[in-house]
Amino acid sequence: MKLTLRVWRQKNADADGAMSTYEVDGISPDMSFLEMLDTLNEELILHGEDPVAFDHDCREGICGACSLVINGDAHGPERTTTCQLHMRSFEDGDTIDIEPWRASAFPVIKDLVVDRSAFDRIIQAGGYITAPTGAAPEAHATPVPKPDADFAFEHAECIGCGACVAACPNGAAMLFTSAKINHLNVLPQGAPERETRVLDMVAQMDEEGFGGCTLTGECATACPKGIPLMSITGMNKEWLRATRKVSKR
Amino acid sequence: MARTVWDSTLGKKTVMAVSGLIMLLYLVVHMIGNLKIFFGAGEFDHYAHWLRTVGEPFMHYEWTLWLVRIVLVAAVVAHAVSAYQLSRRDIRARPSKYVHKRPRASYATRTMRWGGVILGLFIVWHILDLTTGTVHPGFRPGHPYQNVVDTFSTWYGNVIYIVAMLALGLHVRHGFWSAAQTLGAGSRTRDRALKTVADVLALLLTAGFIAVPVGVMTGVVS
Ligand code: HEM
Ligand code: SF4
Ligand code: FES
């Protein structure tokens, strides 16, 4: 396949960026999108040019490192991560626009790499449980009802990629934050911090400068892990409950 | 406590949902009341007078009406201020646009903001037109039937009113369902029912309110 790529190039956080056009040839439909970018970078290096910086790690759809807004869609046209997107989703001769996640809470570091440490700080605010360290506890020591386990697991699937923020017209991190809160708040292990978790994580999310939710649903459409929009409803419910409980103390 | 709620995006959204639902409840009652216009000047004017005497003898003349007005003004102000502040925040959170444009499903959001502004302007005009009569040539206090007929005998009266009521329908359609999510009342099993209720409410309100100018235009009400 032969493709025209229009890629966002930006030297560093302070520089102005712009779209640059490149041609790549010899792309196999079986390549992943990232392998296609590797091919471009090898050529750029051969020509003594600066390779395009982009985030990646596991390349198997589980770590959440890869990003990219491809033709206006976070993670591209398929509902998966960019590393799991294959070139067969495109046609020979296509022009493909590649841009970084856009949100003021996710500033661009270089080219297609953005700083997602705002997510780390939201997790630090309450996305954990307090447990004694040591050997793993006996699996049956704390029974979890099956529907709760399923609910927790559905939300635990979030890999923290940030596609939800990139897709949201308000740059909101509601889907990410709600996935984490719902995951832990439904489990007995998460119960001791149930109120502080939601209050602190939502406060940190606001602190980071993410926008508010207008329930347009772009986040859930973009999410490679299928975190549902209703997850945000669940977070709202937990937040209202915690606000009532804490105000009574 | 109140401070932390107001400072939070979720708190402001809760204020917006509660104030929106208060206005919605009022509008349902208001729409039903308006339909009395189809039963003649006697019944309509009598109903308008009754609005001032509700709650007597416990309440003094017009006390109940003023109570409702105060709650409504508070709701409009709370709703508009939180909408404004949240919208400002949303725009700041997403300053640079994508170069590659694609149609976004944010139609609802955009109509919520512009629709909201239209509704806000409409509320001001509506009060000056039919409550105080400030912008209403030949306004006669205590004769609401005649005043309504006058308003809808002008082309601009009809246009302003009908545009605003269409905006209201769209606003309620997304707003009612949104409020359910904001208040944590939505769920997967309840989603279809909530969306249906939102559609029915939006349709009934818009049709019910628009029936009045259409009635005047067609001569059914004169
Ligand atoms: C002063 C004029 C108004 C303005 C500026 C305004 C603006 C807005 C905005 C910007 C939203 C948020 C939209 C979103 O989240 O996508 C909203 C939501 C809403 N509005 Fe209004 N609106 C106005 C009047 C009304 C009226 C008259 C009603 C009564 C039916 C109403 C009911 C609602 C409801 C129920 C919501 C949903 C709240 C939520 O998202 O949780 N609004 N409004
Ligand atoms: S909710 Fe989905 S889109 Fe958002 S960070 Fe988690 S996996 Fe990525
Ligand atoms: S590189 Fe790990 S999810 Fe894509």
Side-chain angles (χ1 to χ4, degrees):
Chain A
M1 294 167 79
K2 190 170 181 226
L3 299 164
T4 305
L5 305 176
R6 297 203 304 154
V7 185
W8 183 263
R9 302 302 309 260
Q10 183 174 336
K11 269 214 147 29
N12 55 52
D14 304 319
D16 286 335
M19 299 295 272
S20 293
T21 307
Y22 305 96
E23 305 279 336
V24 279
D25 205 350
I27 300 298
S28 146
D30 296 330
M31 280 182 177
S32 76
F33 200 85
L34 298 186
E35 286 169 323
M36 183 277 291
L37 286 179
D38 292 338
T39 311
L40 168 70
N41 277 346
E42 277 164 17
E43 234 168 87
L44 289 177
I45 293 168
L46 268 180
H47 289 88
E49 287 179 52
D50 198 17
V52 178
F54 61 89
D55 264 327
H56 60 105
D57 189 11
C58 71
R59 297 208 177 195
E60 53 186 19
I62 57 170
C63 75
C66 61
S67 52
L68 308 188
V69 170
I70 302 163
N71 286 342
D73 287 317
H75 290 302
E78 313 285 342
R79 193 178 208 181
T80 185
T81 54
T82 297
C83 59
Q84 292 294 298
L85 175 67
H86 290 88
M87 295 315 293
R88 52 181 164 271
S89 301
F90 300 88
E91 303 281 333
D92 185 32
D94 271 1
T95 298
I96 306 174
D97 289 338
I98 309 171
E99 300 174 70
W101 283 174
R102 293 270 183 221
S104 47
F106 283 169
V108 173
I109 298 172
K110 182 174 174 20
D111 297 340
L112 303 170
V113 178
V114 300
D115 179 0
R116 281 173 282 185
S117 55
F119 269 13
D120 299 339
R121 291 186 291 274
I122 294 176
I123 294 292
Q124 280 161 13
Y128 51 79
I129 61 160
T130 302
T133 54
E138 207 278 311
H140 294 293
T142 313
V144 179
K146 174 76 166 129
D148 291 354
D150 286 348
F151 182 86
F153 193 77
E154 185 181 13
H155 291 93
E157 279 197 66
C158 167
I159 53 176
C161 63
C164 43
V165 176
C168 176
N170 310 320
M174 298 277 170
L175 198 66
F176 165 77
T177 311
S178 67
K180 303 300 174 193
I181 289 167
N182 288 327
H183 164 203
L184 296 176
N185 271 20
V186 72
L187 294 173
Q189 288 86 346
E193 289 112 349
R194 184 169 169 188
E195 288 85 28
T196 49
R197 173 175 303 114
V198 56
L199 294 176
D200 293 347
M201 289 178 78
V202 167
Q204 189 63 37
M205 174 185 83
D206 285 348
E207 176 78 28
E208 297 292 344
F210 290 106
C213 183
T214 49
L215 291 153
T216 53
E218 291 282 354
C219 54
T221 308
C223 175
K225 297 296 161 184
I227 304 295
L229 186 59
M230 283 294 155
S231 181
I232 297 174
T233 311
M235 170 173 70
N236 293 339
K237 195 172 173 179
E238 284 294 310
W239 187 86
L240 289 169
R241 177 186 169 279
T243 306
R244 276 197 306 271
K245 280 203 104 169
V246 168
S247 69
K248 277 197 211 115
R249 275 184 202 150
Chain B
M1 224 287 287
R3 191 74 245 165
T4 30
V5 169
W6 183 243
D7 282 344
S8 167
T9 45
L10 297 199
K12 280 203 176 69
K13 191 81 179 170
T14 306
V15 170
M16 202 144 82
V18 172
S19 55
L21 290 177
I22 291 172
M23 291 188 281
L24 184 58
L25 182 70
Y26 166 78
L27 288 178
V28 172
V29 175
H30 187 31
M31 186 272 288
I32 295 172
N34 284 0
L35 293 178
K36 297 211 170 43
I37 197 129
F38 290 102
F39 302 100
E43 181 156 348
F44 191 72
D45 290 352
H46 176 69
Y47 159 69
H49 180 72
W50 171 81
L51 286 178
R52 283 148 182 85
T53 60
V54 197
E56 282 183 13
F58 177 67
M59 296 296 243
H60 182 66
Y61 180 75
E62 280 198 351
W63 274 14
T64 311
L65 186 64
W66 274 105
L67 201 69
V68 172
R69 284 173 175 167
I70 290 166
V71 170
L72 281 176
V73 168
V76 173
V77 170
H79 195 80
V81 171
S82 36
Y84 174 76
Q85 294 191 356
L86 283 174
S87 300
R88 283 270 318 254
R89 185 189 173 89
D90 294 347
I91 293 163
R92 240 182 298 133
R94 183 65 178 287
S96 40
K97 303 276 162 276
Y98 290 110
V99 174
H100 187 105
K101 301 274 178 292
R102 67 167 182 83
R104 301 225 159 240
S106 67
Y107 179 72
T109 324
R110 263 174 301 160
T111 55
M112 284 310 267
R113 289 189 189 145
W114 280 110
V117 171
I118 292 175
L119 288 176
L121 293 173
F122 171 76
I123 292 169
V124 173
W125 176 79
H126 189 58
I127 291 172
L128 295 178
D129 179 38
L130 288 171
T131 306
T132 65
T134 318
V135 297
H136 189 121
F139 182 77
R140 290 172 62 203
H143 293 83
Y145 184 92
Q146 194 52 47
N147 292 333
V148 169
V149 172
D150 286 352
T151 286
F152 296 132
S153 303
T154 63
W155 67 266
Y156 58 86
N158 287 317
V159 170
I160 296 176
Y161 197 87
I162 291 171
V163 167
M165 291 309 106
L166 293 175
L168 176 71
L170 286 175
H171 201 84
V172 167
R173 188 163 183 253
H174 184 64
F176 179 79
W177 176 84
S178 294
Q181 312 310 319
T182 301
L183 300 176
S187 76
R188 245 172 283 204
T189 45
R190 224 177 286 158
D191 204 44
R192 275 190 72 99
L194 279 171
K195 283 193 166 132
T196 310
V197 173
D199 286 350
V200 169
L201 265 176
L203 207 70
L204 281 182
L205 276 179
T206 308
F209 277 122
I210 289 185
V212 179
V214 169
V216 176
M217 279 191 276
T218 53
V220 176
V221 176
S222 60

